[in-house]
């Protein structure tokens, strides 16, 4: 009965082989080159043994002319065999390194990227970026770097062992049996030590992922680290994890690399015994010197693939630790990609009916939420942190699916619509700006691929960012990115607002859209928003209540429930929860 660990090992090994199907033809060509190289390697001892026998016969009284011709012919043949073996191995190395490994790694990374695209948003929300990057880059590199080596070793090694064993038995069955009987000791020793390294490789890759997380967080939040003088704390945190990784790596490398020296020792010991037995056979049994030399050379070749296979087993444990982390992503439950149907025209009515949702089953967040929004209404959502404001946006966009109830868009249950169709109805401007590396024009056009330069510039003028764009070195062709330092936080936000203006969707979500701008910029944005929101159904999430005083309706949330709703004047007259929020921001004592 196999243990759970052994079953996981077998499953991982099988899956690694399955992942290699797209490059099976290249692997087959590599196997052919390996086999041809092995044939050359096996032929060499036979030729060398015959040359030694001819020299021995000459010393026993043979003709000089005969031995000279035989040696010349034999040495040329031997040179040709070694040259052919070298060329075949070189071609195989190029094939494996430049074709197999590259395509194998590239294919797995594409699969990971495609898989993450189909995973629920909560996976990206809950998984550190550093861990994802480490799996996609580090672990896949480990797999790609070793998989061709393992394949090469296993194919060449097993074929070489079989061929050499047959050749030795044809030469002398007594010495052949002695060589072959020494094999189980090496195999048993290598497999036992290789299995011990598995847990250490698991620990090494897990710690490596945590270290990547720390590094990614350190550089992403570098200004905060400097502002709070936390350089020493961050450095110590990094150093502690680095020390842990160093220890784990040392243990893994020690148990993985100790295999080869031990196998070499065992094979060297066997080699000595084989020479002693061969000498005894020459003296006592009359076996020819050439035969013994041939088998002694074969014994060295017989030991070499055993050493390589032993290292291959250790490498397989190494690869398996990386592969499990990659396959964990492949095995994650995907977001329901039901085709659903689309919407030809969207008016913009939204209805929440008895909607309940929680990120964790044991922590209820939204319970029996009911909202009805008419087309073209401007609805503001306010409340304290953790009240569920952004959660409503996540549910509207189908980033998360509700636990109970129904959300309708123009009377259609969104559960019956495709996610693409739902998300194509919404434009978004979030608190956290996101700009990719590219020109300003490309960033603004992100929400509308194929937009003309005139459309891009018109959207920027409406968002009050055309002026500062034209003051930049290359204007709309200036290259920027998320980490650009020549744009202020407010200017970045204005670009994302221009992006939403250009997209011109029937429904609009503004999640703290003006939180990163100063009061003057906020006033300009508010004017642009007034124009943008005409004829659109708008959901505005705001902490700064001055931005939503003109909303058609304000929903006041607390602990996932609507505790109040109405216009700004109506809510102030009630002197309830909203009134307290407003007073906390603007009351003058």
């Amino acid at each position: 009965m196999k243990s759970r660990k052994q079953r996981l090992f077998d499953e991982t090994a099988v899956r690694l082989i399955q992942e290699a199907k797209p490059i099976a033809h290249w692997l087959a060509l590599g196997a052919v080159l390996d086999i041809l190289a092995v044939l050359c390697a096996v032929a060499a001892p036979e030729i060398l043994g015959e040359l030694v026998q001819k020299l021995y016969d000459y010393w026993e009284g043979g003709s000089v002319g005969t031995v000279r011709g035989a040696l010349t012919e034999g040495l040329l043949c031997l040179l040709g065999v070694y040259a052919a073996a070298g060329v075949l191995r070189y071609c195989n190395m190029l094939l494996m390194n430049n074709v197999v490994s590259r395509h194998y790694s590239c294919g797995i990374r594409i699969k990971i990227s495609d898989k993450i695209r189909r995973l629920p948003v909560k996976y990206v929300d809950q998984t550190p970026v550093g861990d994802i990057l480490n799996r996609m880059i580090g672990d896949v590199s480990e797999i790609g770097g070793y998989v061709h080596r393992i394949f090469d070793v296993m194919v060449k090694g097993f074929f070489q062992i079989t061929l050499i064993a047959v050749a030795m038995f044809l030469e002398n069955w007594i010495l052949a049996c002695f060589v072959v009987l020494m094999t189980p000791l090496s195999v048993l020793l290598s497999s036992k030590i290789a299995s011990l390294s598995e847990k250490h490789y698991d620990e090494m890759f897990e710690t490596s992922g945590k270290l990547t997380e720390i590094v990614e967080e350190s550089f992403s939040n570098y200004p905060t680290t400097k502002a709070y003088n936390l350089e020493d704390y961050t450095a110590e945190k990094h150093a502690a994890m680095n020390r842990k990784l160093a220890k784990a790596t040392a243990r893994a490398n020690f148990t993985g690399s100790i295999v080869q020296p031990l196998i070499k020792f065992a094979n060297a010991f066997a080699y000595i015994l084989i020479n002693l037995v061969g000498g005894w056979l020459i003296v006592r049994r009359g076996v020819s010197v050439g035969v013994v030399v041939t088998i002694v050379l074969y014994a060295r070749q017989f030991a070499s693939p055993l050493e390589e296979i032993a290292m291959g087993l250790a490498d397989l444990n190494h690869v398996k630790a990386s592969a499990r982390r990659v396959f964990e992503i492949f095995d994650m439950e995907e977001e329901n990609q039901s085709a659903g149907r689309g919407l030809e025209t969207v008016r913009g009515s939204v209805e929440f009916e008895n909607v309940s949702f929680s990120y964790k089953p044991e922590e209820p967040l939204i319970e029996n939420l009911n909202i009805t929004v008419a087309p073209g209404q401007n609805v503001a959502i306010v409340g304290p942190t953790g009240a569920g404001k952004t959660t409503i946006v996540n549910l509207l966009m189908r980033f998360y699916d509700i636990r109970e109830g129904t959300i309708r868009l123009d009377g259609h249950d969104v559960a019956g619509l495709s996610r693409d169709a739902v998300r194509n109805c919404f434009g978004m401007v979030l608190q956290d700006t996101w700009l990719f590396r590219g020109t300003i024009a490309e960033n603004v056009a992100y929400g509308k691929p194929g937009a003309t330069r005139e459309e891009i510039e018109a959207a920027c003028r409406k968002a009050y960012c055309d002026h500062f764009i034209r003051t930049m070195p290359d204007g709309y062709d200036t290259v920027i990115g998320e980490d650009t330092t020549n744009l202020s936080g407010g200017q970045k936000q204005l670009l994302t607002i221009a992006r939403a203006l250009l997209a011109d969707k029937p429904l609009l979500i503004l999640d703290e859209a003006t939180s990163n701008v100063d009061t003057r910029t906020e006033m300009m944005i508010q004017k642009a928003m007034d124009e943008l929101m005409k004829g659109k159904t708008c959901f505005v999430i705001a902490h700064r209540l001055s931005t939503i005083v003109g909303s058609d309706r304000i929903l006041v949330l607390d602990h996932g429930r609507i505790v109040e709703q109405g216009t700004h004047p109506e809510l102030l007259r009630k002197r309830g929860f909203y009134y307290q929020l407003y007073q906390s921001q603007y009351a003058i004592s």
Side-chain angles (χ1 to χ4, degrees):
M1 189 71 177
K2 291 184 178 180
S3 65
R4 181 175 180 275
K5 180 181 286 188
Q6 185 61 40
R7 287 198 303 272
L8 285 174
F9 177 87
D10 294 341
E11 292 172 3
T12 303
V14 169
R15 292 186 68 174
L16 280 170
I17 295 172
Q18 291 173 340
E19 291 296 329
K21 284 183 179 179
I23 56 169
H25 55 292
W26 293 112
L27 292 176
L29 178 58
V32 171
L33 293 174
D34 270 336
I35 290 171
L36 292 176
V38 168
L39 288 173
C40 292
V42 171
E46 187 72 29
I47 298 172
L48 195 56
E50 291 178 1
L51 291 177
V52 170
Q53 185 61 49
K54 291 185 182 299
L55 285 173
Y56 182 79
D57 292 341
Y58 167 71
W59 290 328
E60 291 292 320
S63 168
V64 175
T66 302
V67 74
R68 183 182 295 122
L71 285 176
T72 301
E73 181 181 346
L75 289 173
L76 289 173
C77 185
L78 191 63
L79 178 63
V81 167
Y82 280 130
V87 170
L88 289 168
R89 289 196 178 98
Y90 179 73
C91 292
N92 184 61
M93 179 193 69
L94 289 179
L95 175 69
M96 289 296 181
N97 287 338
N98 295 330
V99 178
V100 176
S101 180
R102 184 179 301 172
H103 284 265
Y104 188 82
S105 302
C106 180
I108 292 180
R109 286 197 177 101
I110 291 173
K111 285 188 66 174
I112 293 176
S113 179
D114 187 56
K115 177 70 177 186
I116 291 175
R117 185 179 62 83
R118 300 195 304 272
L119 290 177
V121 174
K122 66 180 180 181
Y123 170 72
V124 180
D125 285 347
Q126 298 171 4
T127 306
V129 175
D131 183 63
I132 297 176
L133 291 176
N134 196 62
R135 294 185 191 218
M136 182 176 284
I137 299 174
D139 290 330
V140 173
S141 294
E142 292 289 343
I143 296 173
Y146 283 99
V147 70
H148 74 79
R149 178 182 172 188
I150 292 172
F151 174 83
D152 190 43
V153 165
M154 296 303 178
V155 170
K156 182 176 68 178
F158 284 115
F159 182 77
Q160 187 171 347
I161 288 172
T162 303
L163 199 61
I164 290 174
V166 171
M168 287 191 299
F169 275 100
L170 291 176
E171 290 289 337
N172 185 280
W173 69 270
I174 298 176
L175 267 179
C177 285
F178 191 80
V179 173
V180 172
L181 288 175
M182 296 298 294
T183 302
L185 176 63
S186 299
V187 174
L188 179 64
L189 186 63
S190 63
S191 61
K192 183 66 176 176
I193 297 174
S195 64
L196 295 176
S197 66
E198 178 184 345
K199 64 179 181 180
H200 298 303
Y201 281 118
D202 284 337
E203 181 185 2
M204 182 181 76
F205 287 115
E206 182 180 352
T207 308
S208 178
K210 292 179 179 178
L211 182 63
T212 304
E213 292 172 25
I214 292 174
V215 172
E216 191 270 334
E217 289 175 355
S218 298
F219 283 102
S220 298
N221 302 304
Y222 189 70
T224 304
T225 302
K226 297 289 288 184
Y228 284 91
N229 292 322
L230 293 175
E231 294 94 330
D232 292 340
Y233 169 78
T234 304
E236 179 54 36
K237 185 178 178 182
H238 178 274
M241 189 59 66
N242 207 23
R243 287 192 293 268
K244 186 176 180 181
L245 176 61
K247 291 179 181 178
T249 303
R251 286 192 292 265
N253 288 341
F254 176 77
T255 54
S257 60
I258 199 175
V259 174
Q260 191 172 27
L262 290 176
I263 297 302
K264 283 185 177 292
F265 173 78
N267 288 335
F269 183 72
Y271 184 67
I272 293 171
L273 293 179
I274 291 166
N275 278 277
L276 292 175
V277 172
W280 180 81
L281 287 174
I282 292 173
V283 175
R284 298 291 186 180
R285 295 295 182 92
V287 177
S288 68
V289 174
V291 168
V292 173
V293 169
T294 299
I295 291 185
V296 167
L297 293 173
Y298 276 142
R300 293 298 292 175
Q301 287 193 357
F302 197 74
S304 177
L306 286 176
E307 295 170 6
E308 293 178 353
I309 289 172
M311 289 304 298
L313 291 174
D315 289 343
L316 188 57
N317 281 288
H318 192 141
V319 172
K320 184 185 64 175
S322 291
R324 273 204 299 266
R325 286 167 50 82
V326 171
F327 292 150
E328 279 178 8
I329 296 180
F330 290 163
D331 295 338
M332 287 178 181
E333 185 177 353
E334 297 182 5
E335 187 176 59
N336 181 14
Q337 298 289 336
S338 58
R341 61 182 185 278
L343 293 172
E344 294 183 4
T345 58
V346 180
R347 295 182 299 110
S349 67
V350 176
E351 182 182 359
F352 282 65
E353 183 180 345
N354 299 322
V355 170
S356 297
F357 171 80
S358 60
Y359 292 103
K360 298 179 181 178
E362 66 277 8
E363 299 178 9
L365 178 58
I366 292 178
E367 296 289 338
N368 297 318
L369 180 65
N370 291 278
I371 303 174
T372 301
V373 181
Q377 270 196 320
N378 179 353
V379 178
I381 305 172
V382 301
T385 300
K389 302 185 297 298
T390 301
T391 299
I392 290 179
V393 173
N394 288 335
L395 299 180
L396 274 173
M397 300 287 289
R398 290 200 69 188
F399 292 154
Y400 292 82
D401 287 326
I402 58 177
R403 190 179 75 241
E404 295 177 1
T406 306
I407 300 177
R408 296 187 179 90
L409 178 60
D410 281 356
H412 301 283
D413 187 346
V414 297
L417 302 175
S418 69
R419 295 181 190 274
D420 288 346
V422 172
R423 293 168 187 170
N424 195 46
C425 297
F426 289 88
M428 292 187 72
V429 179
L430 304 178
Q431 177 180 6
D432 297 324
T433 59
W434 178 78
L435 301 172
F436 61 88
R437 182 158 185 82
T439 66
I440 290 178
E442 290 170 342
N443 271 275
V444 174
Y446 186 77
K448 187 181 179 180
T452 64
R453 178 58 68 92
E454 291 74 17
E455 291 175 322
I456 294 170
E457 293 178 1
C460 290
R461 283 194 295 271
K462 291 179 182 179
Y464 295 94
C465 54
D466 178 73
H467 173 71
F468 80 76
I469 292 174
R470 294 188 182 278
T471 62
M472 301 190 75
D474 297 313
Y476 282 85
D477 295 317
T478 301
V479 176
I480 59 172
E482 177 62 27
D483 56 349
T484 187
T485 57
N486 56 346
L487 291 177
S488 68
Q491 288 173 331
K492 292 178 183 179
Q493 190 66 284
L494 288 171
L495 290 177
T496 64
I497 292 170
R499 182 188 295 167
L501 280 160
L502 180 62
D504 195 26
K505 303 295 184 179
L507 294 98
L508 185 65
I509 294 173
L510 306 174
D511 189 352
E512 303 288 351
T514 60
S515 62
N516 290 331
V517 297
D518 56 59
T519 305
R520 182 175 179 276
T521 305
E522 180 184 336
M523 293 173 62
M524 290 190 298
I525 291 176
Q526 197 62 51
K527 291 178 182 178
M529 289 303 171
D530 290 340
E531 182 177 349
L532 171 65
M533 292 187 289
K534 288 178 182 178
K536 295 181 175 60
T537 304
C538 303
F539 294 86
V540 182
I541 298 174
H543 279 246
R544 196 180 295 181
L545 301 184
S546 62
T547 62
I548 49 94
V549 293
S551 298
D552 298 326
R553 183 152 46 118
I554 299 173
L555 305 179
V556 186
L557 264 64
D558 189 28
H559 295 96
R561 296 182 301 108
I562 296 178
V563 294
E564 289 179 341
Q565 58 179 305
T567 63
H568 175 70
E570 289 172 350
L571 293 173
L572 287 182
R573 285 195 296 268
K574 289 181 180 180
R575 302 180 73 86
F577 194 76
Y578 179 82
Y579 177 82
Q580 294 174 10
L581 288 174
Y582 190 80
Q583 289 293 105
S584 66
Q585 288 190 20
Y586 300 105
I588 301 176
S589 56

